[in-house]
Amino acid sequence: MKRLPLFAECLTAGVLVVLTALPLVTLLPALAAGCAHIRAHVDGETTAVRAYFTRVRAAACGGAGPSVGVVAGFAVPAADLVVLRHTGLPGGGAVGAVCTAVAAGLAVVVLRAAATWSPGGRWTALVRTAARRAVVDPTGSLLLGTALGVLVVVTWQLPPLVVPMLGCVLMAAVAVERRATRLHDPSRSGR
């Protein structure tokens, strides 16, 4: 029965992340606080809603600029896909596949950065390290890409499931980063 409380925390994290990421400028802090919420549950620390908002405030320090950059990074391939969909440009299928791959790669890097955030962490360094780790650990990146794919398919079929699925993707990000830490530094194997 240990899995049910973890799923409940994933659901809670999903709800809180959706609510706090609505302004889009708070996307990175919301994801980081959601990952920290899941990590706290796994580590036996406090998972109170008040603690989540404390984490959001801590993650927001210096996170507005990178969040705007991430949103802009997602907007470019999304705009390209909209243009491709409404025009019959030759080679549009290949360009659409590249745009989708770029968006998925950016999402993987953002999730990896959010999963490694801790209070006092600088977003530029976290994103740079996450990008490096996404290349060095292709298995973990593939796992996160698969989790994102499941999120897209499930919410495409039933949009309200975005909330619990987002929590599950956050849990996957935390698990992938813990796995990568164990693989690259066995002395810091964690729990």
Side-chain angles (χ1 to χ4, degrees), residues 98-187:
V98 169
C99 289
T100 302
V102 166
L106 178 60
V108 166
V109 170
V110 166
L111 283 170
R112 290 188 92 132
T116 58
W117 174 83
S118 60
R122 297 181 44 86
W123 280 110
T124 51
L126 287 170
V127 171
R128 209 173 305 122
T129 302
R132 212 170 310 122
R133 194 172 248 180
V135 173
V136 172
D137 181 24
T139 304
S141 297
L142 183 62
L143 288 170
L144 271 178
T146 302
L148 288 166
V150 170
L151 169 79
V152 168
V153 169
V154 168
T155 57
W156 167 65
Q157 293 175 346
L158 194 58
L161 289 179
V162 71
V163 173
M165 284 305 302
L166 180 59
C168 292
V169 168
L170 295 174
M171 180 180 59
V174 170
V176 163
E177 283 306 310
R178 288 208 170 177
R179 175 192 157 276
T181 300
R182 253 186 258 120
L183 289 175
H184 296 292
D185 188 5
S187 66

Side-chain angles (χ1 to χ4, degrees), residues 79-93:
D80 287 347
L81 287 171
V82 168
V83 168
L84 289 172
R85 184 170 184 206
H86 294 293
T87 61
L89 294 175

